[in-house]
Amino acid sequence: MKTVYKFLFAAVLMGTVSCKEEFLQTEPTELISANQIAEASALNPGLQSANVSGIYATMYGAGSGGTTGHDDFGHKSYDIYGDLLSGDMALTSVIYGWFRTVTEFQATQDYTVDDNYQAWRFYYRLIFAANTVIDGLGGSNAIPGTASGRWYMGQAKAMRAFSYFYLAQYYQNEYVPTEKILPLYTNTTDPNLPKSTAADVYALMIKDLTDAQSLLSDFTRASKAEVNANVAKGMLAYVHGAMGNNAAMKTVTADIIATGGFKIMTATEVVGGFNNVATSQWMWGVDITTDSKLNLISWWGQMDKYTYSYAWAGDVKGMDKGLYDLIPATDVRKAQFSVADKLAPMGKFYHPNKVIGGQRTIDADYIYMRVEEMYLLNAEACAKTGDEAGARKSLKAIMALRVPDASYIDALTGKALTDEIYLQTRIELWGEGKSYLSLKRNKGTVNRGSNHLKFVGTPILYNDTRLTLKIPIQEIQNNPNLNK
């Protein structure tokens, strides 16, 4: 695994490091060594710019999980994994079969299925990329002496933590601190490593994201594709939530709400297509243009009937029928889903031209994080720490823009309040890759509605092994230290 990544990132670096004769003659090799990267970066931290850009490009790149599958298109692929595993998204019909092994629990029970491999390879690819930047700037404990160096280091640390977070979510049934779960690579030179405990993996996430906030405190990003301090805080909130550190999650999310400058999406905006990264409430996302060269193999291709691809051709992913039935008729989000089209999100995610099958080359944008997540996480954390007034306030801030009368929230307490927050999280963030995370945090139960193809009405607990990916056979075969 690591050899492949070294070659790929060496190719990037060879294209960005100045081809000075004396530099090339120092250590002739097809790969640039960690020492060479560090030496070059010490002279000019800006040399890491291409590597950081490469991390963000990998986030939406077709084939970035190492396969030619049309379900392999970066992080948004695994957002779909999670949404399907949570049961909130239903694969309502199958013609071409992408994601079928996930929704039918074949991948989660058979470590030879490629879906396990591509998720594993994708996030470890991001980790190696992040470690390339970190090593080049002096290693995990270094604080670069220039502003640009600090900013590259902060972004790399945040992306390393982000990647380990999703690996931990997808490859561990639930957070058990003492359980050994993943190899923990913090540089580019380590040999194949055994698995570290969840406690150690999460401790690195917390340190990386805490460091990132400091390193990025004075960073003004050029685009929303880049991680800034607020995005790092948002990532940290999810890490604390997964660990059950609700007081910490409450503090972090309250800070974002108070100081981030983001407003909640209006009733008009939530049915506006979710297609424009310039939407002010989006904290993190990417401006997809025709130069990105995405088409069939894309998140939009899998989700949007206005895109010429799989959803248009019949592989419709719709909202779980049971969840849809829980949305009041007066809730604006009811209009996000088409009853005539198998509860497809034709009123939530759509190309702005709204021509069936019309978007060939993708130019609609990708969303990774928005401020409503922080309000919902804050409500959840408040409720779980006994601050029910705070929970109601954060929940009501959203619901006041979704239903004609949100005063019903004022009477909610105890389990009724926590249940309502969980329900509204599932509705508000449907299709955005957050349902699986919420299922695990809230120790929920999957109950698939009538529009699923398999396992309808079968209760499945959040920590059931069928909801967790397997470490792929490729890693087991190629890493002799994995289970030491």
Side-chain angles (χ1 to χ4, degrees), residues 110-373:
D110 182 353
Y111 71 164
T112 68
V113 175
D114 262 356
D115 293 302
N116 295 287
Y117 166 70
Q118 76 180 53
W120 182 271
R121 187 174 191 263
F122 171 75
Y123 288 111
Y124 270 112
R125 184 178 185 180
L126 289 181
I127 289 165
F128 188 86
N131 283 336
T132 299
V133 175
I134 293 166
D135 283 359
L137 294 169
S140 290
N141 295 321
I143 300 177
T146 67
S148 62
R150 284 189 287 103
W151 299 337
Y152 293 135
M153 177 72 86
Q155 291 174 78
K157 283 194 169 187
M159 290 305 299
R160 181 168 69 180
F162 169 84
S163 302
Y164 276 123
F165 174 72
Y166 275 93
L167 284 167
Q169 291 296 289
Y170 283 125
Y171 291 93
Q172 186 182 28
N173 295 332
E174 63 180 317
Y175 179 66
V176 178
T178 57
E179 184 182 1
K180 293 184 177 181
I181 58 170
L182 302 168
L184 191 61
Y185 297 101
T186 58
N187 59 61
T188 57
T189 58
D190 278 336
N192 288 323
L193 294 178
K195 290 184 282 189
S196 291
T197 64
D200 287 341
V201 174
Y202 276 83
L204 178 67
M205 295 181 213
I206 291 174
K207 184 179 187 308
D208 274 353
L209 291 168
T210 302
D211 289 349
Q213 291 175 54
S214 176
L215 292 162
L216 297 170
S217 61
D218 59 348
F219 172 58
T220 301
R221 57 187 176 179
S223 76
K224 285 188 181 177
E226 298 172 325
V227 172
N228 63 7
N230 275 322
V231 173
K233 290 176 188 177
M235 293 176 180
L236 182 60
Y238 276 107
V239 172
H240 281 310
M243 298 174 72
N245 295 341
N246 294 307
M249 181 167 73
K250 175 183 174 182
T251 299
V252 174
T253 52
D255 180 51
I256 295 171
I257 292 168
T259 66
F262 302 100
K263 294 181 179 180
I264 296 170
M265 295 179 80
T266 65
T268 300
E269 288 171 326
V270 295
V271 290
F274 280 77
N275 51 41
N276 189 349
V277 75
T279 304
S280 62
Q281 297 85 352
W282 289 22
M283 296 174 60
W284 188 29
V286 60
D287 180 14
I288 302 293
T289 70
T290 54
D291 289 340
S292 306
K293 301 187 186 307
L294 300 185
N295 42 64
L296 291 175
I297 310 175
S298 65
W299 181 89
W300 284 100
Q302 291 288 343
M303 295 296 299
D304 176 32
K305 296 189 75 171
Y306 296 106
T307 297
Y308 181 82
S309 190
Y310 294 102
W312 166 81
D315 280 4
V316 177
K317 297 168 192 67
M319 178 178 257
D320 172 83
K321 179 64 163 58
L323 181 58
Y324 176 80
D325 289 344
L326 293 174
I327 305 175
T330 56
D331 190 324
V332 66
R333 296 169 300 182
K334 195 89 168 180
Q336 291 178 329
F337 305 95
S338 172
V339 175
D341 295 280
K342 301 181 179 180
L343 297 182
M346 295 184 70
K348 181 171 184 178
F349 304 116
Y350 56 82
H351 189 267
N353 291 345
K354 299 192 81 169
V355 175
I356 297 294
Q359 181 180 211
R360 298 294 187 102
T361 301
I362 308 300
D363 58 15
D365 298 336
Y366 279 177
I367 184 172
Y368 299 143
M369 183 186 293
R370 61 182 170 111
V371 75
E372 288 81 359
E373 298 170 42

Side-chain angles (χ1 to χ4, degrees), residues 1-22:
M1 177 179 73
K2 294 179 72 181
T3 301
V4 173
Y5 298 165
K6 287 180 180 178
F7 181 81
L8 288 170
F9 278 89
V12 172
L13 286 167
M14 288 295 284
T16 59
V17 175
S18 175
C19 295
K20 294 181 181 178
E21 183 176 352
E22 64 272 19

Side-chain angles (χ1 to χ4, degrees), residues 349-460:
F349 304 116
Y350 56 82
H351 189 267
N353 291 345
K354 299 192 81 169
V355 175
I356 297 294
Q359 181 180 211
R360 298 294 187 102
T361 301
I362 308 300
D363 58 15
D365 298 336
Y366 279 177
I367 184 172
Y368 299 143
M369 183 186 293
R370 61 182 170 111
V371 75
E372 288 81 359
E373 298 170 42
M374 302 303 117
Y375 278 88
L376 290 162
L377 288 172
N378 183 261
E380 181 182 317
C382 286
K384 290 177 177 178
T385 56
D387 180 9
E388 294 191 340
R392 289 190 290 267
K393 179 181 177 182
S394 289
L395 178 60
K396 197 171 180 180
I398 292 176
M399 294 307 296
L401 297 173
R402 304 291 178 263
V403 296
D405 183 5
S407 63
Y408 76 95
I409 293 171
D410 297 334
L412 298 177
T413 61
K415 188 174 184 298
L417 178 59
T418 57
D419 285 352
E420 183 69 10
I421 294 166
Y422 181 30
L423 172 63
Q424 296 306 329
T425 299
R426 296 167 63 198
I427 295 170
E428 178 71 20
L429 303 178
W430 186 92
E432 298 175 49
K434 305 303 189 299
S435 292
Y436 184 76
L437 310 180
S438 183
L439 173 74
K440 286 196 163 187
R441 284 196 315 273
N442 291 283
K443 302 184 186 304
T445 300
V446 176
N447 284 291
R448 292 185 173 185
S450 59
N451 58 335
H452 288 261
L453 299 178
K454 294 284 184 71
F455 302 100
V456 172
T458 302
I460 304 172

